[in-house]
């Protein structure tokens, strides 16, 4: 009997070029994207429009937008198999965001945890973009009609709001948007800072943050200084409540080696934290080495990276404009 070919499901996600990529971004997001390329049709972008909700040094933002593309590719996101693009190269994102602004409630946006956190952190620049950020994110997603949006746990609330906006719009105008699902990895969903096991790994705490382009010496030093726990037991055991530091290191080790927590406990039985911390550091160093080397090589080939961005923008615009046209028609904009 002839087999009917099912079209591939679609995935879409983005990361802001607001700082250099770190191990949290890699394990919580990019690695999972790269692992799924054969199963899904994938769209990944650098969310530079989102980045200016916080003041940026223009030259730095430009540098990071290119360097982030090099790092995506070095992490295994093959531009021949994934559509990789820069958000500001596809005007439809900003265009749809405006329409969706008119279908999103003030109260909904006021409840967003990220808005509350960021407005507390940047008190002198609580701009309207920071407030409407989730609507732009909804536009990013809905333009591409994806089935899944792979993100870390911290972005789940935004994907849920996206679903609410899409359902509201569809209930007025018919089936315009596909309702996407968040896709949250089981391990690596939240990597904590090496010096702050109670807070997620973040570039704003550079000491406990391992950047993808860090040298092996820097990584070794950071793991040496990793906070373990002050319990008397001092053995390697997964216990998020009483041993957050050790549990975080175990999550990193487990995600990179594929070993289960029990296997790790057995491996380090009787060895204590002194042997465990450098062992995790070594696994990270070896895993990141080829990524750093490939990213450095690609950064020297600006013509190639520009080409990837150009092709990505064309492919992304084709899909995005199709949705935008449909939306414009539905809301009653006169078409010529
Ligand atoms: P910051 O470092 O300022 O907290 P960020 O690194 O979180 O910012 P984002 O663009 O917000 O940058 O995150 C990109 C992706 O990486 C998102 O899917 C997010 O969920 C994921 N991510 C970020 N930090 C972590 C982390 N510590 N653990 C797991 N996933 C993370
Ligand atoms: N808000 C996300 C980045 C982001 C995103 C998106 C993720 C912007 N648009 C669309 C998934 C889909 C963040 O800060 N991590």
């Amino acid at each position: 009997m002839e087999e009917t070919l099912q079209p591939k499901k679609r995935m879409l996600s983005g990361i802001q070029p607001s700082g250099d990529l770190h191990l949290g971004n890699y394990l919580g997001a990019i690695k999972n994207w790269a692992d799924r390329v054969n199963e899904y049709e994938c769209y990944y972008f650098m969310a530079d429009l989102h980045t200016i909700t916080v003041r940026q040094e223009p030259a730095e933002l430009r540098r990071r937008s290119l360097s982030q593309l090099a790092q995506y590719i070095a992490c295994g996101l093959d531009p021949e198999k994934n559509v990789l693009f820069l958000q500001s190269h596809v005007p439809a994102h900003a265009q749809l965001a405006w329409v969706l602004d008119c279908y999103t409630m003030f109260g909904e946006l006021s409840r967003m945890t990220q808005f509350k956190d960021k407005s507390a952190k940047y008190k002198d620049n609580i701009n309207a973009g920071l407030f409407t950020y989730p609507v732009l994110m909804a536009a990013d997603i809905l333009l591409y009609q994806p089935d899944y949006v792979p993100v870390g746990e911290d972005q789940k609330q935004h994907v849920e709001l996206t679903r609410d906006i899409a359902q509201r719009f569809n209930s007025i105008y018919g089936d315009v948007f596909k309702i996407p699902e968040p896709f949250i990895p089981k391990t690596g969903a939240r990597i904590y800072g090496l010096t702050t096991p109670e807070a997620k790994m973040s570039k704003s705490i550079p000491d406990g943050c391992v950047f993808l382009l860090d040298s092996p010496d820097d990584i070794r030093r950071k793991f040496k200084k990793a906070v373990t726990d002050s319990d008397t037991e001092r053995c390697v055991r997964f216990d998020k409540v009483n041993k957050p530091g050790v549990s975080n290191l175990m999550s990193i080790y487990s995600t990179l080696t594929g070993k289960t927590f029990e296997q790790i406990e057995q491996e380090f039985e009787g060895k204590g934290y002194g042997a465990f911390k450098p062992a995790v550091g070594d696994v990270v160093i070896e895993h990141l080495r080829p990524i750093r080397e490939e990213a450095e090589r690609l950064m020297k080939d600006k013509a190639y990276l520009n080409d990837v961005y150009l092709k990505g923008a064309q492919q992304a615009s084709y899909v995005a404009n199709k949705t935008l046209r449909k939306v414009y028609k539905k809301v009653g904009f006169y078409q010529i």
Side-chain angles (χ1 to χ4, degrees), residues 107-132:
E108 286 176 313
L109 294 177
S110 314
R111 285 193 288 277
M112 293 292 115
T113 318
Q114 183 173 300
F115 171 69
K116 290 188 212 164
D117 290 351
K118 288 212 172 166
S119 51
K121 194 164 158 193
Y122 304 100
K123 281 200 178 64
D124 53 351
N125 185 21
I126 307 177
N127 60 72
L130 202 58
F131 188 65
T132 58

Side-chain angles (χ1 to χ4, degrees), residues 11-60:
M11 273 202 169
L12 168 129
S13 196
I15 295 190
Q16 295 188 52
S18 53
D20 292 318
L21 293 172
H22 55 73
L23 196 63
N25 300 139
Y26 178 65
L27 297 181
I30 306 168
K31 183 171 180 296
N32 300 296
W33 304 351
D35 289 348
R36 289 191 168 73
V37 65
N38 293 322
E39 251 174 289
Y40 298 94
E41 183 191 337
C42 301
Y43 291 76
Y44 300 118
F45 66 98
M46 328 297 150
D48 58 343
L49 298 180
H50 281 91
T51 304
I52 62 162
T53 52
V54 173
R55 283 283 175 273
Q56 302 292 321
E57 172 60 46
E60 261 299 287

Side-chain angles (χ1 to χ4, degrees), residues 280-292:
V280 184
D282 285 343
V283 165
V284 172
I285 289 169
E286 288 320 315
H287 197 91
L288 295 187
R289 188 189 302 278
I291 295 178
R292 188 191 56 207

Side-chain angles (χ1 to χ4, degrees), residues 55-69:
R55 283 283 175 273
Q56 302 292 321
E57 172 60 46
E60 261 299 287
L61 177 58
R62 248 188 305 274
R63 179 193 68 78
R64 286 195 306 258
S65 298
L66 205 64
S67 150
Q68 192 162 307
L69 175 64

Side-chain angles (χ1 to χ4, degrees), residues 12-14 16 45 47 50 114 133 137 140-141 149 151 155:
L12 168 129
S13 196
Q16 295 188 52
F45 66 98
H50 281 91
Q114 183 173 300
Y133 174 115
M137 180 159 162
D140 299 337
I141 296 171
V149 181
V151 281
Q155 294 299 316

Side-chain angles (χ1 to χ4, degrees), residues 31-225:
K31 183 171 180 296
N32 300 296
W33 304 351
D35 289 348
R36 289 191 168 73
V37 65
N38 293 322
E39 251 174 289
Y40 298 94
E41 183 191 337
C42 301
Y43 291 76
Y44 300 118
F45 66 98
M46 328 297 150
D48 58 343
L49 298 180
H50 281 91
T51 304
I52 62 162
T53 52
V54 173
R55 283 283 175 273
Q56 302 292 321
E57 172 60 46
E60 261 299 287
L61 177 58
R62 248 188 305 274
R63 179 193 68 78
R64 286 195 306 258
S65 298
L66 205 64
S67 150
Q68 192 162 307
L69 175 64
Q71 290 173 63
Y72 270 31
I73 299 171
C75 286
L77 294 176
D78 179 350
E80 296 299 322
K81 295 186 181 161
N82 302 269
V83 180
L84 306 179
F85 64 101
L86 188 64
Q87 189 185 24
S88 63
H89 289 169
V90 183
H93 290 244
Q95 292 170 301
L96 181 63
W98 171 253
V99 176
L100 297 183
D101 269 334
C102 304
Y103 295 81
T104 308
M105 300 301 133
F106 183 85
E108 286 176 313
L109 294 177
S110 314
R111 285 193 288 277
M112 293 292 115
T113 318
Q114 183 173 300
F115 171 69
K116 290 188 212 164
D117 290 351
K118 288 212 172 166
S119 51
K121 194 164 158 193
Y122 304 100
K123 281 200 178 64
D124 53 351
N125 185 21
I126 307 177
N127 60 72
L130 202 58
F131 188 65
T132 58
Y133 174 115
V135 187
L136 178 59
M137 180 159 162
D140 299 337
I141 296 171
L142 298 175
L143 276 173
Y144 298 89
Q145 312 278 2
D147 298 275
Y148 299 108
V149 181
V151 281
E153 234 167 46
D154 58 318
Q155 294 299 316
K156 195 171 166 212
Q157 196 186 29
H158 289 161
V159 181
E160 279 162 0
L161 177 69
T162 301
R163 288 165 60 87
D164 292 343
I165 298 172
Q167 270 154 353
R168 181 171 304 141
F169 197 91
N170 284 355
S171 72
I172 307 172
Y173 301 106
D175 275 344
V176 176
F177 297 125
K178 180 170 256 177
I179 309 298
E181 302 272 349
F183 190 100
I184 310 216
K186 285 198 185 72
T187 51
R190 197 169 280 254
I191 300 297
Y192 296 87
L194 299 185
T195 49
T196 51
E198 67 292 342
K200 74 164 194 167
M201 182 177 282
S202 160
K203 58 197 164 273
S204 51
I205 313 170
D207 255 5
C209 179
V210 177
F211 294 99
L212 299 190
L213 301 185
D214 273 349
S215 69
D217 280 348
D218 282 340
I219 300 177
R220 209 166 284 123
R221 185 178 47 78
K222 286 178 183 175
F223 275 92
K224 221 172 173 176
K225 287 206 294 193

